[in-house]
Amino acid sequence: MFGRFPQLDGIQERRAASAARRFFRLARFHRFVTLIGSGVALIMLSLCMMALYEGRQEALQGARKTSQNLLLILQKDISRNVELYDLSLQAALEGSQRSDVMALPSSLQRAVLFDRSVQARYVGALLVLDAQGKVLIDSANPVPRKGNFSDREYFTIHRENPNVGLYLSGPFRSRLTHDHWIVVLSRRVSLPNGAFGGVALVAIGIDYFHDLLAGLDVGAHGVLLLVCEDGSVISRQPDHSNVVGRSMIGSVNFKRFQSAASGTFTGQDPTEGVRRLYSYARIPGVPVIAVVAPAEDDILENWRRRSIIIGGLMVVFSAVFVCVSSLLAHELRERARNQQKLIEQATQDRLTGVSNRHALDATLAREWRRAKRDGRTLGILFIDVDAFKSYNDHYGHAAGDKALAVVAQSITDCLRRPSDSIGRYGGEEFVVALPDTHAHGALEVAELIRDGVVRRGLAHAYHSHGSVTVSIGVALSDAPDVQSLAELIAKADRALYRAKAEGRNAVRAAA
Ligand SMILES: Nc1nc2c(ncn2[C@@H]2O[C@H](COP(=O)(O)OP(=O)(O)OP(=O)(O)O)[C@@H](O)[C@H]2O)c(=O)[nH]1
């Protein structure tokens, strides 16, 4: 029953403590691994989305710049040509007002009035009309062609307003050139007294605008447009021939073109349902608005393709990252569990669930050191199950094991402070450590334990008390003859011996 208390192993205790620390670190950490993994994946996804969004904005910005450049080309080309045609117009107009020029022979007169620009590809004819609208001078024919143009809008505008200056008409079909679409650049002829003397005009074939737009690329679904400020379409790419001369008045987009000298906006083409990035500007010197409108789908086509690849890869990568984090967390959790099992196996008595001898030794050593350091009293209860040999002999070893587990649980139930601890010392012997406990308290706990075991009522017909009982020896570390833990245990052991000798089911304090 009584054995010598062995030397306590400090190294083993430290190892157990460090294993426990590792376990708690792992246990705490694995909960955060999935969270951190998901957080990192989310951050990576957000950064990728931001970069893709940035790419989208850059693509739109690039398209806006390209459109501005195209507008500039349109503005310069049209302005320069209008300026040249106007110079020819002014020369012809001034010449036609000089009597000496008009008195020249026809071929000489034409050489003075018309420079070579009137032979340019897109110029239909340069005409000077008299106050009744009849052709006075015709650049295309030495004998002026017959016709009266007093009903034309440009004619009435100049007749009614002397201050119009250079006027560009909307597109209309020419009477002189087989119904070809033209626009007319015109100036008023004023007599010396200021009265209306007719109109000088240059007819420009609409093909000029068409060819100009056809040379520019705005993507497969883009649109280029030249429209008069009064709303009549001069040219459009594509669908040029179907829309020339049509009015855009009432169109939402046209209202926006009118709202400022230049600008950009994203809008829907009402007839085609295509979203386009519209850039528009007025052509200096003439009442014409140039519009460059690439389709949003064309602008973003490359960006979309890139986004799908990068975004898809990023989503897959993030998912893999989260999966790996979860696997890592799972692995850590398993390790923590195994670590916990190992700790339990290393410190727990399998049969009773209380601390095994190894852990008990470590606990007793620690509490002894603490008691000595803090000047407090450590109480020790040495507990032995009475007549356990005969219990085993009569009820069998398996029943004996169960009885030991019941006794251990009964003892554990009596320990009220968290610092109190119990361990299986060996066989049917248990030791309870009661830190910071004086004689009165230790005896009280011992009595509680003894009584508790009796109350369990585990039948033991071959024991004089009729049920399983325990005997308890109590010793305290503040006794003058106790100089070491081994002496303390030995003292408790001796007190237990007395309890056994004096009838069992008893508590005895060390003398
Ligand atoms: N079932 C079981 N029996 C055990 C275990 N450990 C020790 N024992 C038995 O406990 C008995 C202890 O007997 P003894 O030391 O003679 O003491 P006792 O019969 O309890 O008599 P007293 O202590 O004088 O009351 C032995 O028969 C051991 O085999 C165990 O884990 N399970």
Side-chain angles (χ1 to χ4, degrees):
M1 173 177 75
F2 308 118
R4 198 178 67 81
F5 193 80
Q7 281 297 309
L8 291 168
D9 188 343
I11 295 172
Q12 280 178 332
E13 188 193 354
R14 277 198 296 281
R15 274 191 194 144
S18 110
R21 272 199 302 279
R22 273 205 307 278
F23 160 66
F24 285 119
R25 266 205 303 272
L26 275 181
R28 258 203 318 268
F29 186 58
H30 81 74
R31 285 194 195 96
F32 296 108
V33 171
T34 319
L35 209 67
I36 291 169
S38 307
V40 170
L42 208 68
I43 289 170
M44 286 192 308
L45 268 181
S46 310
L47 286 176
C48 176
M49 293 302 156
M50 274 165 65
L52 289 179
Y53 179 73
E54 196 79 3
R56 184 181 192 275
Q57 296 306 98
E58 273 171 19
L60 290 172
Q61 189 57 31
R64 234 172 253 132
K65 269 196 183 152
T66 307
S67 296
Q68 301 292 346
N69 290 338
L70 292 182
L71 280 178
L72 218 60
I73 290 171
L74 289 175
Q75 282 178 319
K76 281 196 172 163
D77 198 292
I78 296 172
S79 290
R80 201 189 63 227
N81 278 308
V82 165
E83 194 184 338
L84 288 176
Y85 295 144
D86 187 32
L87 285 174
S88 303
L89 196 62
Q90 286 183 48
L93 193 152
E94 282 164 17
S96 70
Q97 288 178 318
R98 283 175 55 177
S99 52
D100 53 343
V101 173
M102 294 310 286
L104 288 170
S106 171
S107 59
L108 206 57
Q109 184 192 72
R110 292 169 61 75
V112 174
L113 290 177
F114 309 125
D115 60 23
R116 288 186 188 275
S117 70
V118 296
Q119 292 162 16
R121 186 172 155 207
Y122 300 107
V123 175
L126 196 158
L127 305 177
V128 179
L129 310 178
D130 66 12
Q132 282 70 47
K134 278 193 288 185
V135 183
L136 267 182
I137 303 169
D138 181 351
S139 69
N141 275 296
V143 181
R145 286 168 288 180
K146 297 237 174 302
N148 190 302
F149 300 98
S150 58
D151 57 332
R152 290 295 194 199
E153 189 190 26
Y154 59 82
F155 191 86
T156 50
I157 280 177
H158 284 304
R159 189 175 55 202
E160 279 153 30
N161 189 348
N163 303 317
V164 174
L166 183 68
Y167 176 76
L168 182 80
S169 74
F172 60 87
R173 289 184 186 275
S174 165
R175 284 178 201 151
L176 292 177
T177 54
H178 319 291
D179 277 357
H180 278 148
W181 281 100
I182 57 166
V183 292
V184 160
L185 208 58
S186 58
R187 281 187 176 274
R188 173 189 164 107
V189 178
S190 295
L191 298 176
N193 61 3
F196 178 65
V199 170
L201 63 98
V202 181
I204 304 168
I206 215 86
D207 287 353
Y208 159 63
F209 300 102
H210 177 54
D211 291 350
L212 181 60
L213 297 190
L216 304 176
D217 182 11
V218 277
H221 306 94
V223 158
L224 290 161
L225 182 70
L226 290 170
V227 57
C228 286
E229 282 180 3
D230 66 3
S232 50
V233 175
I234 298 173
S235 184
R236 184 185 193 271
Q237 275 295 332
D239 290 340
H240 167 74
S241 48
N242 294 332
V243 293
V244 175
R246 282 205 195 155
S247 176
M248 280 188 77
I249 292 285
S251 140
V252 179
N253 287 340
F254 182 68
K255 277 184 190 140
R256 298 184 80 165
F257 302 151
Q258 284 181 307
S259 64
S262 65
T264 53
F265 64 90
T266 305
Q268 187 112 5
D269 185 311
T271 47
E272 297 171 53
V274 178
R275 270 184 80 75
R276 295 198 172 96
L277 181 64
Y278 290 90
S279 296
Y280 62 93
R282 279 173 170 64
I283 307 287
V286 283
V288 175
I289 302 167
V291 181
V292 177
E296 209 174 64
D297 281 349
D298 291 343
I299 299 169
L300 298 177
E301 193 186 355
N302 287 337
W303 172 82
R304 279 205 182 108
R305 216 181 16 244
R306 227 178 21 242
S307 299
I308 288 169
I309 294 170
I310 295 174
L313 281 176
M314 209 59 204
V315 167
V316 170
F317 183 69
S318 301
V320 169
F321 195 80
V322 171
C323 286
V324 169
S325 313
S326 305
L327 283 175
L328 185 67
H330 176 75
E331 183 63 23
L332 286 174
R333 198 163 46 241
E334 283 306 299
R335 278 195 186 197
R337 273 200 196 124
N338 291 340
Q339 193 95 28
Q340 189 180 20
K341 266 190 204 152
L342 282 176
I343 290 170
E344 279 172 11
Q345 279 167 8
T347 59
Q348 226 176 41
D349 176 56
R350 266 207 212 160
L351 182 66
T352 59
V354 300
S355 295
N356 63 13
R357 175 62 187 270
H358 172 71
L360 174 66
D361 287 351
T363 305
L364 288 172
R366 191 175 60 245
E367 293 305 338
W368 170 262
R369 282 198 302 272
R370 188 173 293 161
K372 288 294 141 191
R373 191 178 60 231
D374 300 346
R376 294 169 189 265
T377 306
L378 171 65
I380 291 290
L381 312 184
F382 212 125
I383 305 165
D384 188 280
V385 184
D386 297 326
F388 200 58
K389 185 176 178 326
S390 61
Y391 189 91
N392 267 333
D393 291 348
H394 290 95
Y395 294 100
H397 210 79
D401 283 354
K402 279 186 190 156
L404 279 182
V406 171
V407 169
Q409 187 58 52
S410 179
I411 298 170
T412 306
D413 291 348
C414 295
L415 303 181
R416 288 162 297 189
R417 292 185 192 166
S419 56
D420 296 346
S421 56
I422 173 184
R424 190 173 175 198
Y425 191 73
E428 82 293 14
E429 298 164 331
F430 298 91
V431 167
V432 167
L434 302 170
D436 199 15
T437 308
H438 290 280
H440 178 70
L443 283 169
E444 201 173 271
V445 176
E447 188 52 39
L448 212 63
I449 290 171
R450 187 203 61 75
D451 187 50
V453 174
V454 171
R455 281 172 188 280
R456 292 275 168 163
L458 268 178
H460 189 348
Y462 307 95
H463 176 27
S464 53
H465 291 274
S467 69
V468 172
T469 61
V470 292
S471 295
I472 304 173
V474 180
L476 296 157
S477 65
D478 58 359
D481 55 342
V482 171
Q483 295 306 317
S484 68
L485 177 60
E487 284 172 11
L488 178 64
I489 300 287
K491 235 181 149 189
D493 197 1
R494 283 198 295 277
L496 169 63
Y497 183 78
R498 276 206 296 121
K500 291 272 182 189
E502 291 171 16
R504 295 186 174 78
N505 188 26
V507 174
R508 291 293 178 269

